[in-house]
Amino acid sequence: MTSQVSSPAEHADEADETGETLVGGQRRPPGEKEVRQLDRVIIRFAGDSGDGMQLTGDRFTSETASYGNDLSTLPNFPAEIRAPAGTLPGVSSFQVHFADHDILTPGDAPHVLVAMNPAALKANIADVPRGGEVIVNTDEFAKRAMVKVGYETSPLEDGSLDGYSVHPVPLTTLTIEALKEFGLSRKEAERSKNMFALGLLSWMYHRPTEGTEKFLRTKFARKPEIAEANVAAFRAGWNFGETTEDFAVSYEVAPADTAFPTGTYRNISGNLALSYGLIAASRQADLPLYLGSYPITPASDILHELSRHKNFGVRTFQAEDEIAGIGAALGAAFGGSLAVTTTSGPGVALKSETIGLAVSLELPLLVVDIQRGGPSTGLPTKTEQADLLQAMYGRNGEAPVPVVAPRTPADCFDAALDAARIALTYRTPVLLLSDGYLANGSEPWRIPDLDELPDLRTQFATGPNHTLDDGTEVFWPYKRDPQTLARPWAVPGTPGLEHRIGGIEKQDGSGNISYDPANHDLMVRTRQAKIDGIEVADLEVDDPDGARTLVLGWGSTYGPITAAVRRIRREGGAVAQAHLRHLNPFPRNLGEVLGRYDKVVVPEMNLGQLATLIRARFLVDARSYNQVNGMPFKAEQLAAALKEAIDD
Amino acid sequence: MTETASTLLSLVPKAEAKQSMKDFKSDQEVRWCPGCGDYAILAAVQGFMPDLGLAKENIVFVSGIGCSSRFPYYMNTYGMHSIHGRAPAIATGLASSRRDLSVWVVTGDGDALSIGGNHLIHALRRNVNLKILLFNNRIYGLTKGQYSPTSELGKITKSTPMGSLDAPFNPVSLAIGAEASFVARTIDSDRKHLTEVLRAAADHPGTALVEIYQNCNIFNDGAFEALKDKEQAEEAVIRLEHGQPIRFGVGGSKGVVRDPATGDLKVVAVTAENESQILVHDAHSASPTTAFALSRLADPDTLHQTPIGVLRSVERPVYDTLMADQLDAAIEQNGKGDLGALLAGSDTWTVVG
């Protein structure tokens, strides 16, 4: 770990003089320009929602990943597909933080802002500290476009950007010029301006370029002229950086080799990692994967991804609604599939009754909730952690459901496997709580060896499991495993095990309908005991200094909380950190851990849902620190809040 | 790709030994009200199941909520009594993941057409390999007597003391409109007809919807009396048989013809002159137009001129077959999935210790 807070200028005078043109795949320009070493950089690409900023950010990220930096990304886009052009609500941005060391967040403030139009500048400039670099597409700074977002005078000329290092670049004109020979219309040629910008930034940071060229040729395989135009724009951007005097310096950020354990790595987003986790779980359980789903932001990418892998025996069913999505999954679970439904908060609300049925049927089922801002439609493209209590309690009756939460994009892979383990072992629906930040954000992931993956194989019932008083051998669908309290999974097609299950209360053991009061009391308590008894790993506490304050988090706040904790420790403060993967049941040692500390602080992107659970369960005076603005915590703010709590 | 009935059914294993009605009776006590039409339907289903010759462990009954939805508990097959309206969705997941199963949905007019209307129409349009038995008693029984989406306009019930304001659904028309490939109607008390229709449904590849008029003797007794009473029935019931002229009434005195002026169907008294113009029933017609027109002949209040039998039975691609074909095609095109290759992707880098 080097400095989390260093500015890009920190090593600015360490000019590299080795003179090599290639460093581990890094592409260094051959020219005479000065090259400086940085330990980390945060870049934000911002433009109109039609400008292709997400693609630009994705490509820059891929280049960065293939070079071996540690990285973390934060895509941020409006819910509208094409919000009115040139307006503040229409601004789409992509922030990427990359470093030569281990980093945890997409970064608080960008060192470099690429603003494709006045709206992008206006919406983002406040986040850039003075001294930061601002690359603006001057072609879009016409009077009308500036007035539209409230600039009365041009910010490029009125001194309002004094203190920033501004690079005015006529990106649109240069792109059109570069593509003259392609015979494209002006409008078509303009579209490649994001690739010009990408080329320029790739030059500035010595990113490898082969990947992007290959990507463009694959993406536009059916339109080779468009592919070549984009490649040409990308190269023109690179060459522009190399030749123009405005860009006097380029930068290197060395690979983060020492930050990573040995292994083969790739970059991965949360939704992709989660999709792969589900496919891996299916293989490890030796059960076919069945997804029943209805499109919803920000979960749809899992449906898209799984739909591409039918050669793994994956069945994906795009249902008529959220209820049918989970209904079909439950039907497939009855038939012996590893069944999954994917959704976001509003979808969980619609699925509640079926989750309750799955609790009653005691069938394995994964319910994946990619949380977004709520209530109701809320903020579809923004992140939030406010479905925790819905996951815990959002059903009629006593309907306990295990809750598992990944902490980083790559961790979504392991969390999916863990959720599958619980579902299959205990024959229960499991809620997997990811969120928009994890779903769309990405980071390097050490690709696991297949033999590292857990064995998730489970046994179907094959014969009678009970002897009646008269000696008859029968099958009892609710006769439980004494250790796990799981009931047998007898799938249709198994001779002699024909049985009926349903949502009406069942007699313990036989599973026949029973309205007996004592039996209902027993069944409610047994279902609860089964969930309470699920084996989960003990909570690990990171506390090198014997702190008196514990910061406890869950889910996607892991990165920002850990970054904040590092800041505090670097400044000599003492704080302990623990992060929950299992929200239900809690780790066995959680109460004991909480009892060790004078103060417990719980940062959450909601109004204190975990804090509520902790207070109720352990009678601990947990303090909440909350943010519900649709964005992840910033490490600096969080560190200040934690410090306040420590010093209080 | 269309799959024939025989190839689809062949995916379901056959019973090793001859089965009897007794084999399909579960050990659970049947708890419908005495005199309920459901008993007759249960007996007919248990009675005809052995004829199918399918291994009973490969038969599954899925239901929703309502009186009819208790049905699976009484069948000694696999079964699931689920939640209100959702049985077609649950059965879709089961049928599309297990083509070796014969999956039956038992539902009622409230379950299928009110709370579960969406799932019903989508199951029908997808043509999932499901057999849906819709017990229509034109009333809510389990909640003790509110009007249902098939109750006649103006019906006086506990929730509509001044008469219901809702125009009813005609389930057969609805199903035809929802692109159903098999639609039939039958009556609980006509065991022979009921059994024939069930057998035709069982043989159908894809979704088969069978509307069964079922008497609720507690809350809507006699709702179908016009179709059951010997004297009235001849005038009220139009028995459809594929390939036969559509005639009914005493001695076949009435028939259905196409009105050349409007293209619609109408009922005429059969004469020597018009006998040749009597419509011949074609259940397999590619166009649903005539089947729909037939379904509209019934008077929603009196039920006079109610067609029963198989209104429509056409073969079109079955959802679960197409889904399985895509899995096969994916393996053919890309090879069997290789998890290691998938996880690695194309852009990797290696960190050496």
Side-chain angles (χ1 to χ4, degrees), chain A residues 65 263 265-266 290 311 315 320-321 335 492-494 500-501, chain B residues 57 77-79 81 96 98 118-119 126 335 337 343 348-349 351:
Chain A
Y265 288 79
R266 64 176 286 171
Y290 192 100
N311 60 331
R315 284 179 164 81
E320 59 271 22
D321 59 29
T494 317
R500 278 63 57 191
I501 55 176
Chain B
E57 64 268 21
T77 62
Y78 282 85
H81 178 220
S96 61
R98 289 287 305 275
N118 198 31
H119 307 308
R126 285 191 190 102
L343 300 187
T348 62
W349 68 96
V351 175

PDB file of all heavy atoms in Angstrom, chain A residues 65 263 265-266 290 311 315 320-321 335 492-494 500-501, chain B residues 57 77-79 81 96 98 118-119 126 335 337 343 348-349 351:
ATOM      1  N   ALA A  65      -6.637  -2.841 -17.226  1.00  0.00           N
ATOM      2  CA  ALA A  65      -6.595  -4.166 -16.601  1.00  0.00           C
ATOM      3  C   ALA A  65      -5.543  -5.036 -17.275  1.00  0.00           C
ATOM      4  O   ALA A  65      -4.745  -5.700 -16.608  1.00  0.00           O
ATOM      5  CB  ALA A  65      -7.970  -4.817 -16.703  1.00  0.00           C
ATOM      6  N   GLY A 263      -1.027 -15.245  -9.731  1.00  0.00           N
ATOM      7  CA  GLY A 263      -2.179 -15.823 -10.394  1.00  0.00           C
ATOM      8  C   GLY A 263      -2.457 -15.142 -11.706  1.00  0.00           C
ATOM      9  O   GLY A 263      -1.773 -14.207 -12.094  1.00  0.00           O
ATOM     10  N   TYR A 265      -5.142 -12.981 -13.856  1.00  0.00           N
ATOM     11  CA  TYR A 265      -6.187 -12.014 -13.528  1.00  0.00           C
ATOM     12  C   TYR A 265      -6.941 -11.562 -14.762  1.00  0.00           C
ATOM     13  O   TYR A 265      -6.446 -11.625 -15.885  1.00  0.00           O
ATOM     14  CB  TYR A 265      -5.559 -10.772 -12.864  1.00  0.00           C
ATOM     15  CG  TYR A 265      -5.084 -11.032 -11.457  1.00  0.00           C
ATOM     16  CD1 TYR A 265      -3.877 -11.695 -11.228  1.00  0.00           C
ATOM     17  CD2 TYR A 265      -5.840 -10.636 -10.373  1.00  0.00           C
ATOM     18  CE1 TYR A 265      -3.448 -11.957  -9.945  1.00  0.00           C
ATOM     19  CE2 TYR A 265      -5.421 -10.880  -9.080  1.00  0.00           C
ATOM     20  CZ  TYR A 265      -4.222 -11.543  -8.860  1.00  0.00           C
ATOM     21  OH  TYR A 265      -3.816 -11.799  -7.590  1.00  0.00           O
ATOM     22  N   ARG A 266      -8.144 -11.074 -14.501  1.00  0.00           N
ATOM     23  CA  ARG A 266      -8.906 -10.378 -15.531  1.00  0.00           C
ATOM     24  C   ARG A 266      -9.701  -9.284 -14.843  1.00  0.00           C
ATOM     25  O   ARG A 266      -9.840  -9.285 -13.613  1.00  0.00           O
ATOM     26  CB  ARG A 266      -9.869 -11.326 -16.251  1.00  0.00           C
ATOM     27  CG  ARG A 266     -10.940 -11.889 -15.328  1.00  0.00           C
ATOM     28  CD  ARG A 266     -11.940 -12.738 -16.050  1.00  0.00           C
ATOM     29  NE  ARG A 266     -12.837 -11.891 -16.827  1.00  0.00           N
ATOM     30  CZ  ARG A 266     -13.712 -12.372 -17.706  1.00  0.00           C
ATOM     31  NH1 ARG A 266     -13.765 -13.666 -17.935  1.00  0.00           N
ATOM     32  NH2 ARG A 266     -14.512 -11.567 -18.364  1.00  0.00           N
ATOM     33  N   TYR A 290     -31.372 -22.894 -14.040  1.00  0.00           N
ATOM     34  CA  TYR A 290     -32.607 -22.359 -14.632  1.00  0.00           C
ATOM     35  C   TYR A 290     -32.819 -20.953 -14.094  1.00  0.00           C
ATOM     36  O   TYR A 290     -32.935 -20.750 -12.888  1.00  0.00           O
ATOM     37  CB  TYR A 290     -33.812 -23.236 -14.271  1.00  0.00           C
ATOM     38  CG  TYR A 290     -35.050 -22.905 -15.068  1.00  0.00           C
ATOM     39  CD1 TYR A 290     -35.421 -23.677 -16.167  1.00  0.00           C
ATOM     40  CD2 TYR A 290     -35.853 -21.811 -14.740  1.00  0.00           C
ATOM     41  CE1 TYR A 290     -36.556 -23.369 -16.918  1.00  0.00           C
ATOM     42  CE2 TYR A 290     -36.985 -21.492 -15.487  1.00  0.00           C
ATOM     43  CZ  TYR A 290     -37.330 -22.289 -16.573  1.00  0.00           C
ATOM     44  OH  TYR A 290     -38.456 -21.986 -17.322  1.00  0.00           O
ATOM     45  N   ASN A 311     -24.842 -23.350 -23.900  1.00  0.00           N
ATOM     46  CA  ASN A 311     -24.025 -24.567 -24.068  1.00  0.00           C
ATOM     47  C   ASN A 311     -23.530 -25.111 -22.722  1.00  0.00           C
ATOM     48  O   ASN A 311     -22.927 -26.174 -22.668  1.00  0.00           O
ATOM     49  CB  ASN A 311     -22.852 -24.326 -25.032  1.00  0.00           C
ATOM     50  CG  ASN A 311     -21.915 -23.239 -24.568  1.00  0.00           C
ATOM     51  OD1 ASN A 311     -22.326 -22.315 -23.877  1.00  0.00           O
ATOM     52  ND2 ASN A 311     -20.651 -23.351 -24.934  1.00  0.00           N
ATOM     53  N   ARG A 315     -30.766 -22.732 -18.843  1.00  0.00           N
ATOM     54  CA  ARG A 315     -32.053 -22.333 -19.422  1.00  0.00           C
ATOM     55  C   ARG A 315     -32.411 -20.958 -18.869  1.00  0.00           C
ATOM     56  O   ARG A 315     -32.417 -20.764 -17.649  1.00  0.00           O
ATOM     57  CB  ARG A 315     -33.150 -23.333 -19.049  1.00  0.00           C
ATOM     58  CG  ARG A 315     -33.083 -24.631 -19.822  1.00  0.00           C
ATOM     59  CD  ARG A 315     -34.196 -25.569 -19.371  1.00  0.00           C
ATOM     60  NE  ARG A 315     -34.409 -26.649 -20.315  1.00  0.00           N
ATOM     61  CZ  ARG A 315     -33.673 -27.743 -20.382  1.00  0.00           C
ATOM     62  NH1 ARG A 315     -32.669 -27.925 -19.542  1.00  0.00           N
ATOM     63  NH2 ARG A 315     -33.949 -28.680 -21.266  1.00  0.00           N
ATOM     64  N   GLU A 320     -43.324 -13.134 -18.211  1.00  0.00           N
ATOM     65  CA  GLU A 320     -44.242 -12.033 -18.487  1.00  0.00           C
ATOM     66  C   GLU A 320     -44.235 -10.999 -17.371  1.00  0.00           C
ATOM     67  O   GLU A 320     -44.675  -9.877 -17.564  1.00  0.00           O
ATOM     68  CB  GLU A 320     -45.665 -12.559 -18.710  1.00  0.00           C
ATOM     69  CG  GLU A 320     -46.282 -13.348 -17.556  1.00  0.00           C
ATOM     70  CD  GLU A 320     -45.967 -14.845 -17.640  1.00  0.00           C
ATOM     71  OE1 GLU A 320     -44.973 -15.198 -18.317  1.00  0.00           O
ATOM     72  OE2 GLU A 320     -46.702 -15.644 -17.032  1.00  0.00           O
ATOM     73  N   ASP A 321     -43.766 -11.365 -16.215  1.00  0.00           N
ATOM     74  CA  ASP A 321     -43.667 -10.402 -15.123  1.00  0.00           C
ATOM     75  C   ASP A 321     -42.750 -10.977 -14.036  1.00  0.00           C
ATOM     76  O   ASP A 321     -42.259 -12.104 -14.155  1.00  0.00           O
ATOM     77  CB  ASP A 321     -45.052 -10.006 -14.561  1.00  0.00           C
ATOM     78  CG  ASP A 321     -45.856 -11.181 -14.026  1.00  0.00           C
ATOM     79  OD1 ASP A 321     -45.251 -12.173 -13.568  1.00  0.00           O
ATOM     80  OD2 ASP A 321     -47.103 -11.114 -14.039  1.00  0.00           O
ATOM     81  N   GLY A 335     -38.467 -29.404  -9.952  1.00  0.00           N
ATOM     82  CA  GLY A 335     -38.037 -30.430 -10.898  1.00  0.00           C
ATOM     83  C   GLY A 335     -36.570 -30.809 -10.784  1.00  0.00           C
ATOM     84  O   GLY A 335     -36.089 -31.638 -11.543  1.00  0.00           O
ATOM     85  N   PRO A 492     -39.788 -35.069  -9.229  1.00  0.00           N
ATOM     86  CA  PRO A 492     -40.693 -35.863 -10.065  1.00  0.00           C
ATOM     87  C   PRO A 492     -39.892 -36.764 -11.002  1.00  0.00           C
ATOM     88  O   PRO A 492     -38.810 -36.379 -11.464  1.00  0.00           O
ATOM     89  CB  PRO A 492     -41.467 -34.795 -10.840  1.00  0.00           C
ATOM     90  CG  PRO A 492     -41.430 -33.576  -9.973  1.00  0.00           C
ATOM     91  CD  PRO A 492     -40.101 -33.636  -9.275  1.00  0.00           C
ATOM     92  N   GLY A 493     -40.427 -37.938 -11.219  1.00  0.00           N
ATOM     93  CA  GLY A 493     -39.708 -38.926 -12.013  1.00  0.00           C
ATOM     94  C   GLY A 493     -39.095 -40.010 -11.139  1.00  0.00           C
ATOM     95  O   GLY A 493     -38.622 -41.018 -11.647  1.00  0.00           O
ATOM     96  N   THR A 494     -39.103 -39.774  -9.822  1.00  0.00           N
ATOM     97  CA  THR A 494     -38.564 -40.786  -8.914  1.00  0.00           C
ATOM     98  C   THR A 494     -39.701 -41.710  -8.470  1.00  0.00           C
ATOM     99  O   THR A 494     -40.625 -41.261  -7.799  1.00  0.00           O
ATOM    100  CB  THR A 494     -37.940 -40.113  -7.668  1.00  0.00           C
ATOM    101  OG1 THR A 494     -37.177 -38.983  -8.082  1.00  0.00           O
ATOM    102  CG2 THR A 494     -37.080 -41.094  -6.898  1.00  0.00           C
ATOM    103  N   ARG A 500     -47.256 -34.608  -2.471  1.00  0.00           N
ATOM    104  CA  ARG A 500     -47.844 -33.323  -2.756  1.00  0.00           C
ATOM    105  C   ARG A 500     -47.348 -32.322  -1.729  1.00  0.00           C
ATOM    106  O   ARG A 500     -47.347 -32.613  -0.516  1.00  0.00           O
ATOM    107  CB  ARG A 500     -49.382 -33.387  -2.677  1.00  0.00           C
ATOM    108  CG  ARG A 500     -50.090 -33.925  -3.911  1.00  0.00           C
ATOM    109  CD  ARG A 500     -49.798 -35.370  -4.283  1.00  0.00           C
ATOM    110  NE  ARG A 500     -50.088 -36.341  -3.215  1.00  0.00           N
ATOM    111  CZ  ARG A 500     -49.735 -37.614  -3.229  1.00  0.00           C
ATOM    112  NH1 ARG A 500     -49.052 -38.118  -4.255  1.00  0.00           N
ATOM    113  NH2 ARG A 500     -50.027 -38.406  -2.218  1.00  0.00           N
ATOM    114  N   ILE A 501     -46.926 -31.160  -2.212  1.00  0.00           N
ATOM    115  CA  ILE A 501     -46.515 -30.114  -1.283  1.00  0.00           C
ATOM    116  C   ILE A 501     -47.274 -28.843  -1.637  1.00  0.00           C
ATOM    117  O   ILE A 501     -47.783 -28.714  -2.749  1.00  0.00           O
ATOM    118  CB  ILE A 501     -44.994 -29.854  -1.351  1.00  0.00           C
ATOM    119  CG1 ILE A 501     -44.561 -29.530  -2.782  1.00  0.00           C
ATOM    120  CG2 ILE A 501     -44.219 -31.040  -0.800  1.00  0.00           C
ATOM    121  CD1 ILE A 501     -43.086 -29.182  -2.894  1.00  0.00           C
TER     122      ILE A 501
ATOM    123  N   GLU B  57     -45.097 -41.529 -11.710  1.00  0.00           N
ATOM    124  CA  GLU B  57     -44.102 -40.665 -11.071  1.00  0.00           C
ATOM    125  C   GLU B  57     -43.633 -39.554 -12.013  1.00  0.00           C
ATOM    126  O   GLU B  57     -42.941 -38.633 -11.582  1.00  0.00           O
ATOM    127  CB  GLU B  57     -42.902 -41.476 -10.574  1.00  0.00           C
ATOM    128  CG  GLU B  57     -42.082 -42.172 -11.654  1.00  0.00           C
ATOM    129  CD  GLU B  57     -42.550 -43.597 -11.928  1.00  0.00           C
ATOM    130  OE1 GLU B  57     -43.721 -43.907 -11.582  1.00  0.00           O
ATOM    131  OE2 GLU B  57     -41.772 -44.398 -12.481  1.00  0.00           O
ATOM    132  N   THR B  77     -49.900 -38.624  -7.626  1.00  0.00           N
ATOM    133  CA  THR B  77     -48.794 -38.309  -8.531  1.00  0.00           C
ATOM    134  C   THR B  77     -47.960 -37.283  -7.774  1.00  0.00           C
ATOM    135  O   THR B  77     -48.224 -37.009  -6.618  1.00  0.00           O
ATOM    136  CB  THR B  77     -49.313 -37.669  -9.831  1.00  0.00           C
ATOM    137  OG1 THR B  77     -49.974 -36.444  -9.481  1.00  0.00           O
ATOM    138  CG2 THR B  77     -50.275 -38.587 -10.562  1.00  0.00           C
ATOM    139  N   TYR B  78     -46.960 -36.704  -8.426  1.00  0.00           N
ATOM    140  CA  TYR B  78     -46.317 -35.549  -7.829  1.00  0.00           C
ATOM    141  C   TYR B  78     -47.268 -34.364  -7.943  1.00  0.00           C
ATOM    142  O   TYR B  78     -48.069 -34.302  -8.894  1.00  0.00           O
ATOM    143  CB  TYR B  78     -44.985 -35.238  -8.525  1.00  0.00           C
ATOM    144  CG  TYR B  78     -43.874 -36.175  -8.078  1.00  0.00           C
ATOM    145  CD1 TYR B  78     -43.696 -37.419  -8.685  1.00  0.00           C
ATOM    146  CD2 TYR B  78     -43.042 -35.825  -7.024  1.00  0.00           C
ATOM    147  CE1 TYR B  78     -42.691 -38.284  -8.258  1.00  0.00           C
ATOM    148  CE2 TYR B  78     -42.037 -36.677  -6.592  1.00  0.00           C
ATOM    149  CZ  TYR B  78     -41.872 -37.911  -7.210  1.00  0.00           C
ATOM    150  OH  TYR B  78     -40.893 -38.756  -6.776  1.00  0.00           O
ATOM    151  N   GLY B  79     -47.195 -33.448  -6.982  1.00  0.00           N
ATOM    152  CA  GLY B  79     -48.116 -32.324  -7.046  1.00  0.00           C
ATOM    153  C   GLY B  79     -47.657 -31.130  -6.251  1.00  0.00           C
ATOM    154  O   GLY B  79     -46.871 -31.256  -5.306  1.00  0.00           O
ATOM    155  N   HIS B  81     -49.483 -27.566  -4.673  1.00  0.00           N
ATOM    156  CA  HIS B  81     -50.589 -26.631  -4.433  1.00  0.00           C
ATOM    157  C   HIS B  81     -49.925 -25.288  -4.167  1.00  0.00           C
ATOM    158  O   HIS B  81     -49.351 -25.086  -3.114  1.00  0.00           O
ATOM    159  CB  HIS B  81     -51.367 -27.138  -3.210  1.00  0.00           C
ATOM    160  CG  HIS B  81     -52.500 -26.252  -2.812  1.00  0.00           C
ATOM    161  ND1 HIS B  81     -52.779 -25.991  -1.482  1.00  0.00           N
ATOM    162  CD2 HIS B  81     -53.420 -25.576  -3.527  1.00  0.00           C
ATOM    163  CE1 HIS B  81     -53.841 -25.194  -1.411  1.00  0.00           C
ATOM    164  NE2 HIS B  81     -54.242 -24.933  -2.632  1.00  0.00           N
ATOM    165  N   SER B  96     -40.687 -26.692 -18.771  1.00  0.00           N
ATOM    166  CA  SER B  96     -39.616 -26.306 -19.694  1.00  0.00           C
ATOM    167  C   SER B  96     -38.251 -26.811 -19.231  1.00  0.00           C
ATOM    168  O   SER B  96     -37.305 -26.829 -20.002  1.00  0.00           O
ATOM    169  CB  SER B  96     -39.592 -24.787 -19.899  1.00  0.00           C
ATOM    170  OG  SER B  96     -39.349 -24.108 -18.691  1.00  0.00           O
ATOM    171  N   ARG B  98     -38.097 -29.899 -17.552  1.00  0.00           N
ATOM    172  CA  ARG B  98     -38.201 -31.363 -17.451  1.00  0.00           C
ATOM    173  C   ARG B  98     -39.162 -31.867 -18.523  1.00  0.00           C
ATOM    174  O   ARG B  98     -40.358 -32.025 -18.287  1.00  0.00           O
ATOM    175  CB  ARG B  98     -38.707 -31.745 -16.044  1.00  0.00           C
ATOM    176  CG  ARG B  98     -37.706 -31.523 -14.915  1.00  0.00           C
ATOM    177  CD  ARG B  98     -36.577 -32.551 -14.920  1.00  0.00           C
ATOM    178  NE  ARG B  98     -37.065 -33.915 -14.897  1.00  0.00           N
ATOM    179  CZ  ARG B  98     -37.392 -34.599 -13.789  1.00  0.00           C
ATOM    180  NH1 ARG B  98     -37.265 -34.041 -12.603  1.00  0.00           N
ATOM    181  NH2 ARG B  98     -37.821 -35.848 -13.857  1.00  0.00           N
ATOM    182  N   ASN B 118     -52.752 -12.935 -16.292  1.00  0.00           N
ATOM    183  CA  ASN B 118     -51.537 -12.675 -17.068  1.00  0.00           C
ATOM    184  C   ASN B 118     -50.774 -13.969 -17.361  1.00  0.00           C
ATOM    185  O   ASN B 118     -50.328 -14.192 -18.478  1.00  0.00           O
ATOM    186  CB  ASN B 118     -50.650 -11.696 -16.296  1.00  0.00           C
ATOM    187  CG  ASN B 118     -49.622 -11.034 -17.179  1.00  0.00           C
ATOM    188  OD1 ASN B 118     -49.875 -10.816 -18.366  1.00  0.00           O
ATOM    189  ND2 ASN B 118     -48.475 -10.723 -16.626  1.00  0.00           N
ATOM    190  N   HIS B 119     -50.641 -14.793 -16.334  1.00  0.00           N
ATOM    191  CA  HIS B 119     -49.859 -16.025 -16.541  1.00  0.00           C
ATOM    192  C   HIS B 119     -50.563 -16.960 -17.517  1.00  0.00           C
ATOM    193  O   HIS B 119     -49.926 -17.631 -18.312  1.00  0.00           O
ATOM    194  CB  HIS B 119     -49.635 -16.738 -15.203  1.00  0.00           C
ATOM    195  CG  HIS B 119     -49.039 -15.838 -14.170  1.00  0.00           C
ATOM    196  ND1 HIS B 119     -47.903 -15.107 -14.396  1.00  0.00           N
ATOM    197  CD2 HIS B 119     -49.436 -15.519 -12.913  1.00  0.00           C
ATOM    198  CE1 HIS B 119     -47.619 -14.389 -13.322  1.00  0.00           C
ATOM    199  NE2 HIS B 119     -48.538 -14.618 -12.408  1.00  0.00           N
ATOM    200  N   ARG B 126     -47.147 -18.905 -25.442  1.00  0.00           N
ATOM    201  CA  ARG B 126     -45.845 -19.569 -25.574  1.00  0.00           C
ATOM    202  C   ARG B 126     -45.992 -21.009 -26.058  1.00  0.00           C
ATOM    203  O   ARG B 126     -45.085 -21.589 -26.600  1.00  0.00           O
ATOM    204  CB  ARG B 126     -45.130 -19.615 -24.221  1.00  0.00           C
ATOM    205  CG  ARG B 126     -44.558 -18.305 -23.804  1.00  0.00           C
ATOM    206  CD  ARG B 126     -43.650 -18.470 -22.595  1.00  0.00           C
ATOM    207  NE  ARG B 126     -43.317 -17.156 -22.100  1.00  0.00           N
ATOM    208  CZ  ARG B 126     -43.860 -16.579 -21.045  1.00  0.00           C
ATOM    209  NH1 ARG B 126     -44.744 -17.231 -20.315  1.00  0.00           N
ATOM    210  NH2 ARG B 126     -43.516 -15.367 -20.691  1.00  0.00           N
ATOM    211  N   GLY B 335     -19.570 -25.928 -28.778  1.00  0.00           N
ATOM    212  CA  GLY B 335     -19.050 -27.013 -27.962  1.00  0.00           C
ATOM    213  C   GLY B 335     -19.676 -26.950 -26.580  1.00  0.00           C
ATOM    214  O   GLY B 335     -20.277 -25.943 -26.201  1.00  0.00           O
ATOM    215  N   GLY B 337     -20.072 -26.347 -22.781  1.00  0.00           N
ATOM    216  CA  GLY B 337     -19.490 -25.260 -22.007  1.00  0.00           C
ATOM    217  C   GLY B 337     -18.235 -25.666 -21.247  1.00  0.00           C
ATOM    218  O   GLY B 337     -18.196 -26.710 -20.617  1.00  0.00           O
ATOM    219  N   LEU B 343     -14.405 -18.509 -17.473  1.00  0.00           N
ATOM    220  CA  LEU B 343     -13.929 -17.640 -16.392  1.00  0.00           C
ATOM    221  C   LEU B 343     -12.713 -16.838 -16.839  1.00  0.00           C
ATOM    222  O   LEU B 343     -12.555 -15.673 -16.467  1.00  0.00           O
ATOM    223  CB  LEU B 343     -13.593 -18.454 -15.138  1.00  0.00           C
ATOM    224  CG  LEU B 343     -14.735 -19.263 -14.512  1.00  0.00           C
ATOM    225  CD1 LEU B 343     -14.279 -19.867 -13.186  1.00  0.00           C
ATOM    226  CD2 LEU B 343     -15.983 -18.427 -14.297  1.00  0.00           C
ATOM    227  N   THR B 348      -6.502 -11.380 -20.140  1.00  0.00           N
ATOM    228  CA  THR B 348      -5.982 -11.720 -18.816  1.00  0.00           C
ATOM    229  C   THR B 348      -4.543 -11.238 -18.690  1.00  0.00           C
ATOM    230  O   THR B 348      -3.897 -10.921 -19.679  1.00  0.00           O
ATOM    231  CB  THR B 348      -5.988 -13.246 -18.584  1.00  0.00           C
ATOM    232  OG1 THR B 348      -5.122 -13.838 -19.549  1.00  0.00           O
ATOM    233  CG2 THR B 348      -7.364 -13.824 -18.709  1.00  0.00           C
ATOM    234  N   TRP B 349      -4.079 -11.159 -17.447  1.00  0.00           N
ATOM    235  CA  TRP B 349      -2.656 -10.923 -17.225  1.00  0.00           C
ATOM    236  C   TRP B 349      -2.226 -11.779 -16.053  1.00  0.00           C
ATOM    237  O   TRP B 349      -3.069 -12.205 -15.256  1.00  0.00           O
ATOM    238  CB  TRP B 349      -2.372  -9.443 -16.992  1.00  0.00           C
ATOM    239  CG  TRP B 349      -2.914  -8.866 -15.724  1.00  0.00           C
ATOM    240  CD1 TRP B 349      -2.249  -8.702 -14.552  1.00  0.00           C
ATOM    241  CD2 TRP B 349      -4.236  -8.352 -15.488  1.00  0.00           C
ATOM    242  NE1 TRP B 349      -3.067  -8.118 -13.608  1.00  0.00           N
ATOM    243  CE2 TRP B 349      -4.287  -7.893 -14.151  1.00  0.00           C
ATOM    244  CE3 TRP B 349      -5.396  -8.243 -16.284  1.00  0.00           C
ATOM    245  CZ2 TRP B 349      -5.434  -7.333 -13.586  1.00  0.00           C
ATOM    246  CZ3 TRP B 349      -6.536  -7.683 -15.716  1.00  0.00           C
ATOM    247  CH2 TRP B 349      -6.539  -7.240 -14.395  1.00  0.00           C
ATOM    248  N   VAL B 351       0.265 -12.496 -12.763  1.00  0.00           N
ATOM    249  CA  VAL B 351       1.168 -11.956 -11.751  1.00  0.00           C
ATOM    250  C   VAL B 351       2.023 -13.114 -11.249  1.00  0.00           C
ATOM    251  O   VAL B 351       1.482 -14.124 -10.793  1.00  0.00           O
ATOM    252  CB  VAL B 351       0.382 -11.318 -10.589  1.00  0.00           C
ATOM    253  CG1 VAL B 351       1.332 -10.882  -9.480  1.00  0.00           C
ATOM    254  CG2 VAL B 351      -0.437 -10.133 -11.084  1.00  0.00           C
TER     255      VAL B 351
END
